[in-house]
């Protein structure tokens, strides 16, 4: 993902200014994309775990938003992130402009002026830089060193960009942080802070990091799936909450109907009220997410057990 790697090079000074803990894995991705193409699983695990730890952010003025955005782009560049209908490079290019646009807007709002003297319009600079990238990529078809020269040029410009972004950081009052806040020592987390992300009871099993950990020998655990059928008929359950065993087969399942009625099935009672426990392995997470008619998400064992107990009564909330 050469074009994506060039966008990441321009974003790297932002990580430097933030003293971000994802600097090293992002740098590894850049090197892999522009060099051998080999990126270690440990690099992808670090990036994905950071993104999961930060979680969805509503405050776009928080440094973690920018760190998470860059980490997400690095995963896409590495061929491990969600691309949707866009090509990977196009998705990264679009996200990069979005990140720089957000940063420019924040500075303008902070200074309460139509334009910020001494602060560049980073989004416009990024659009211009992407046009230069495209020219280098086209030249690369006849000159194998064209992209390398472009990457070197961007790396040399990094010091000036770091100085520019240092002014931005001062304007915004940013301080080095982590997923848990200013005192976070990620990734060497001691789990001492009350809000430490590693103290969370719910640890999703279908994230990229969890899948890679299992690939490296980590123990598999049961996991829990919520699936909502967006096209369900009135006489069909619109929601299923399922416990899935380490062998990939359904263990227990609770079906919910629009009238609030719940039906439970398990290995001992595999068919009840028109609801049947699956007899085949549950599809991969990628296959589940690819179904446009069904919304899927992971949930916790605690949520499943609550729903199971409600299901035994026959109605939700009982």
């Amino acid at each position: 993902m050469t074009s994506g790697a060039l966008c990441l090079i321009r974003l790297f000074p932002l990580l430097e200014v933030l003293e971000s803990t994802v600097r090293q894995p992002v740098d590894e991705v850049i090197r892999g994309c522009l060099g051998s193409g080999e990126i270690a699983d440990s690099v992808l695990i670090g990036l994905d775990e950071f993104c999961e730890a930060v979680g969805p952010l509503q405050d776009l003025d928080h440094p973690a938003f920018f760190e998470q955005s860059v980490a997400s782009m690095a995963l896409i560049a590495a061929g491990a992130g969600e691309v949707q209908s866009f090509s990977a490079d196009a998705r990264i290019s679009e996200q990069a402009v979005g990140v720089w646009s957000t940063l420019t807007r924040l500075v303008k709002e902070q200074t309460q002026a139509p334009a910020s003297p001494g602060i560049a319009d980073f989004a416009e600079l990024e659009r211009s830089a992407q046009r230069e990238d495209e020219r280098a990529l086209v030249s690369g078809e006849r000159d194998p060193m064209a992209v390398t020269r472009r990457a070197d040029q961007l790396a040399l410009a990094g010091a000036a960009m770091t100085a520019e972004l240092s002014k931005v950081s001062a304007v915004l009052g940013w301080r080095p942080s982590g997923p848990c806040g200013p005192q976070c020592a990620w990734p060497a987390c001691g789990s001492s802070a009350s809000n430490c992300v590693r103290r969370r009871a719910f640890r999703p099993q279908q994230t990229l990091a969890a899948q890679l950990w299992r690939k490296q020998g980590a123990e598999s655990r049961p996991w829990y799936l919520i699936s909502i059928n967006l096209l369900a008929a009135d006489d069909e359950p619109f929601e299923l909450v399922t416990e899935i065993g380490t062998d990939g087969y359904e263990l227990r399942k609770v079906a919910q109907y629009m009238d609030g009625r719940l039906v439970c099935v398990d290995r001992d009672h595999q068919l009840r009220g028109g609801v049947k426990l699956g007899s085949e392995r549950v599809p991969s997470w990628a296959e589940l997410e690819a179904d446009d008619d069904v919304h899927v998400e992971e949930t916790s064992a605690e949520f499943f057990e609550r729903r199971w107990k409600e299901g035994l009564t026959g109605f939700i909330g009982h």
Side-chain angles (χ1 to χ4, degrees):
M1 306 298 178
T2 306
S3 177
L6 297 177
C7 289
L8 289 172
I9 292 175
R10 288 189 292 274
L11 284 160
F12 198 80
L14 181 57
L15 299 181
E16 291 277 20
V17 168
L18 294 174
E19 299 181 26
S20 174
T21 58
V22 297
R23 281 176 293 178
Q24 181 176 344
V26 169
D27 186 49
E28 294 278 358
V29 169
I30 293 170
R31 294 174 185 276
C33 290
L34 296 178
S36 65
E38 297 181 1
I39 300 170
D41 285 353
S42 59
V43 171
L44 304 180
I45 288 172
L47 290 170
D48 192 60
E49 287 189 336
F50 182 87
C51 289
E52 288 291 323
V54 173
L57 280 174
Q58 301 299 321
D59 297 329
L60 302 188
D61 60 345
H62 196 286
F65 163 76
F66 295 92
E67 295 176 90
Q68 185 190 56
S69 297
V70 178
S72 173
M73 282 184 263
L75 285 170
I76 295 172
E82 184 181 353
V83 178
Q84 298 178 344
S85 59
F86 297 91
S87 72
D89 280 337
R91 179 72 183 278
I92 295 170
S93 297
E94 181 184 81
Q95 276 192 248
V97 171
V99 166
W100 289 120
S101 294
T102 301
L103 189 61
T104 302
R105 177 178 56 79
L106 286 176
V107 175
K108 289 181 179 180
E109 290 176 352
Q110 186 68 26
T111 55
Q112 297 181 341
S116 304
I119 300 294
D121 183 338
F122 297 110
E124 186 53 42
L125 288 175
E126 177 61 24
R127 293 187 187 96
S128 176
Q130 289 183 15
R131 291 191 287 270
E132 291 293 329
D133 294 346
E134 186 60 33
R135 284 190 278 271
L137 290 169
V138 171
S139 298
E141 296 175 4
R142 60 180 183 274
D143 177 5
M145 295 302 295
V147 175
T148 299
R149 287 196 298 271
R150 176 62 175 159
D152 290 343
Q153 177 189 35
L154 293 175
L156 287 173
M161 179 58 82
T162 299
E164 186 75 10
L165 292 172
S166 294
K167 294 189 290 183
V168 171
S169 181
V171 167
L172 297 176
W174 280 348
R175 298 290 182 272
S177 183
C180 302
Q183 303 304 315
C184 182
W186 183 277
C189 183
S191 296
S192 56
S194 59
N195 65 330
C196 179
V197 297
R198 291 182 173 169
R199 297 167 69 103
R200 295 174 182 166
F202 175 39
R203 303 296 294 273
Q205 294 298 297
Q206 298 306 309
T207 63
L208 172 66
Q211 293 176 35
L212 291 176
W213 278 123
R214 287 195 293 275
K215 176 184 170 184
Q216 295 189 0
E219 182 181 358
S220 296
R221 294 189 291 177
W223 60 286
Y224 303 86
L225 171 69
I226 297 176
S227 53
I228 300 175
N229 185 351
L230 304 176
L231 302 178
D234 291 342
D235 60 346
E236 295 177 328
F238 76 93
E239 180 190 82
L240 298 172
V241 184
T242 309
E243 179 183 40
I244 301 165
T246 57
D247 58 0
Y249 288 87
E250 295 181 356
L251 297 175
R252 292 182 289 171
K253 181 161 63 182
V254 186
Q256 181 181 353
Y257 292 81
M258 290 299 295
D259 61 3
R261 182 166 47 95
L262 301 175
V263 176
C264 294
V265 291
D266 58 18
R267 292 285 177 89
D268 295 328
H269 306 89
Q270 298 188 27
L271 179 62
R272 179 180 286 156
V275 179
K276 184 179 181 180
L277 197 71
S279 59
E280 299 182 355
R281 289 177 61 91
V282 174
S284 69
W285 187 250
E287 292 175 276
L288 290 170
E289 286 193 310
D291 188 344
D292 293 333
D293 296 333
V294 179
H295 169 75
V296 295
E297 62 182 83
E298 265 196 89
T299 189
S300 65
E302 288 74 16
F303 177 84
F304 176 84
E305 293 298 343
R306 287 198 303 270
R307 182 56 55 85
W308 180 261
K309 289 179 181 178
E310 290 176 325
L312 295 178
T313 71
F315 284 90
I316 193 166
H318 287 205

